[in-house]
Amino acid sequence: KNEVEQSPQNLTAQEGEFITINCSYSVGISALHWLQQHPGGGIVSLFMLSSGKKKHGRLIATINIQEKHSSLHITASHPRDSAVYICAGLIQGAQKLVFGQGTRLTINP
Amino acid sequence: NAGVTQTPKFRVLKTGQSMTLLCAQDMNHEYMYWYRQDPGMGLRLIHYSVGEGTTAKGEVPDGYNVSRLKKQNFLLGLESAAPSQTSVYFCASRSGQVVNQPQHFGDGTRLSIL
């Protein structure tokens, strides 16, 4: 069993829909990292959060450290949001990330 | 501001050949990392460094060596390439001065071993 689990693994939605991607972890982490990777592309950092909620444009990330759960939301989704979204936990006391398997998101026009 | 730069972007090797992947960052970051990404496996840590002159093994270090002679550069070496090392390699860096800082990734190196 992975230490960081994402759901769903694949998600297809229509343009304009509200998207939620979930991340649960079983290890002690000090912060949670959300990353975006477009097909054939590099990896971009979206958020790093250790508590509460962060917002950037149409993207919102929340985390509940006690429940070991984080969510990434996309409002008014657009085809350009189609990508793989990866969550990764920064292990407490270490300088390393442990990664989820990623969620492949496809937004159809 | 270039951020994290990886060279080369693509390479094809024959089994048994050697090569070095270069990662350079211009953000004065203390920590640097090498990952490989394979279909269905997610990102896996190969080696990492917490400062100039230091290196440490990650999750999948076998078959690779690294060096961090200068703070801005982190080199990943394959001494004798094997087909199992066909992958996309990503370098990342982050600041060690502030807690919970995000990692900044390079664009990746696609490596094929024939």
Side-chain angles (χ1 to χ4, degrees), chain A residues 7-33:
Chain A
S7 63
Q9 288 188 318
N10 294 282
L11 178 58
T12 300
Q14 291 300 121
E15 183 173 356
E17 287 189 35
F18 181 81
I19 303 299
T20 295
I21 299 170
N22 295 301
C23 178
S24 297
Y25 48 92
S26 58
V27 292
I29 70 165
S30 58
L32 199 289
H33 205 163

Side-chain angles (χ1 to χ4, degrees), chain A residues 11 13 36-39 58 74 77-85 103-109:
Chain A
L11 178 58
Q36 179 193 58
Q37 184 176 27
H38 282 101
R58 295 179 295 105
I74 305 175
S77 60
H78 189 276
R80 64 174 174 266
D81 297 325
S82 297
V84 174
Y85 292 84
T103 295
R104 185 173 301 277
L105 174 66
T106 303
I107 305 296
N108 293 319

Side-chain angles (χ1 to χ4, degrees), chain A residues 30-31 33 35 37 39-45 47-48 50 86 90 94-97 99-101, chain B residues 31 33 35 37 40-45 48 50 57-58 90 94 100-103 105-107 110:
Chain A
S30 58
H33 205 163
L35 306 161
Q37 184 176 27
I43 299 170
V44 175
S45 173
F47 297 103
M48 188 88 170
S50 56
I86 304 166
L90 181 62
Q95 307 306 329
K96 297 181 286 184
L97 292 173
F99 292 86
Q101 297 287 349
Chain B
Y31 303 142
Y33 306 83
Y35 298 97
Q37 186 179 43
M41 300 291 290
L43 284 155
R44 293 183 292 171
L45 182 64
Y48 66 103
V50 299
K57 293 181 180 180
F90 286 96
R94 76 172 183 91
N100 296 339
Q101 286 296 293
Q103 290 189 13
F105 287 80
D107 289 337
R110 294 183 180 278

Side-chain angles (χ1 to χ4, degrees), chain A residues 37-98:
Chain A
Q37 184 176 27
H38 282 101
I43 299 170
V44 175
S45 173
L46 298 175
F47 297 103
M48 188 88 170
L49 66 167
S50 56
S51 65
K53 175 178 166 179
K54 286 191 175 181
K55 184 175 188 291
H56 181 72
R58 295 179 295 105
L59 301 176
I60 304 166
T62 63
I63 189 168
N64 185 318
I65 290 288
Q66 288 74 25
E67 294 186 3
K68 293 186 166 60
H69 183 268
S70 177
S71 293
L72 176 68
H73 306 285
I74 305 175
T75 61
S77 60
H78 189 276
R80 64 174 174 266
D81 297 325
S82 297
V84 174
Y85 292 84
I86 304 166
C87 72
L90 181 62
I91 298 177
Q92 280 178 336
Q95 307 306 329
K96 297 181 286 184
L97 292 173
V98 56

Side-chain angles (χ1 to χ4, degrees), chain B residues 82-104:
Chain B
S84 61
Q85 294 177 305
T86 293
S87 189
V88 181
Y89 292 86
F90 286 96
C91 176
S93 72
R94 76 172 183 91
S95 171
Q97 298 301 314
V98 181
V99 295
N100 296 339
Q101 286 296 293
Q103 290 189 13
H104 299 259

